[in-house]
Amino acid sequence: MKLKVDKLPASRELDGLVAQNVMGWKGVHREDIGKGGKRNVYRGKKPDKLGRWRSADVRHYSTNPADAYLIPPRMKELGLWQRYLKELARITHAKRLPLEWATPEQSCRAALTVVKRRG
């Protein structure tokens, strides 16, 4: 999946980008399910606690605050915490919001931007 962060709205595609590029999932792809492919599901493989790769549905990082709370610990784990905070502050300041009020979508964008710059 390409990193086209700036123009992508909060969506399952953005969730897939976060899973693959930030959380370290492999093989993230979209599956159309339901009658006529009306429902899009993003799936991939994530490591379990023992390091084995398990197939799973991608979480709703860009729309669900509970899932977005998984991003900061991952950024600390990657050693990108300070850069992430700086980017998140830049994004929230542009919308005239305090850093603590960052939306899940803004957290996703900040994390993807930092990971993209590192790589």
Side-chain angles (χ1 to χ4, degrees):
M1 294 185 139
K2 286 185 179 180
L3 285 177
K4 46 186 174 184
V5 179
D6 297 337
K7 297 183 181 184
L8 194 61
S11 63
R12 295 301 288 149
E13 188 175 356
L14 184 58
D15 298 337
L17 288 170
V18 171
Q20 185 167 330
N21 296 293
V22 176
M23 298 302 183
W25 290 36
K26 292 184 178 180
V28 176
H29 63 283
R30 185 178 90 183
E31 291 181 6
D32 296 328
I33 61 172
K35 206 171 200 177
K38 292 182 180 178
R39 192 168 146 237
N40 296 328
V41 174
Y42 276 78
R43 294 189 54 80
K45 293 187 179 201
K46 67 177 185 173
D48 65 9
K49 291 180 181 179
L50 297 176
R52 296 175 295 210
W53 293 96
R54 302 289 185 186
S55 182
D57 289 338
V58 171
R59 292 177 169 265
H60 296 264
Y61 297 110
S62 66
T63 56
N64 186 347
D67 292 336
Y69 283 131
L70 298 172
I71 295 173
R74 178 64 177 164
M75 297 308 288
K76 288 178 184 175
E77 185 180 311
L78 294 172
L80 299 172
W81 177 244
Q82 292 301 320
R83 289 189 231 171
Y84 168 73
L85 283 180
K86 187 175 180 180
E87 182 64 22
L88 189 58
R90 186 190 67 75
I91 291 171
T92 56
H93 181 71
K95 299 286 184 178
R96 299 179 188 254
L97 291 173
L99 180 64
E100 297 80 26
W101 292 5
T103 65
E105 178 183 2
Q106 291 168 335
S107 296
C108 289
R109 288 186 195 290
L112 284 169
T113 301
V114 169
V115 169
K116 180 180 170 183
R117 285 185 191 152
R118 178 189 74 166

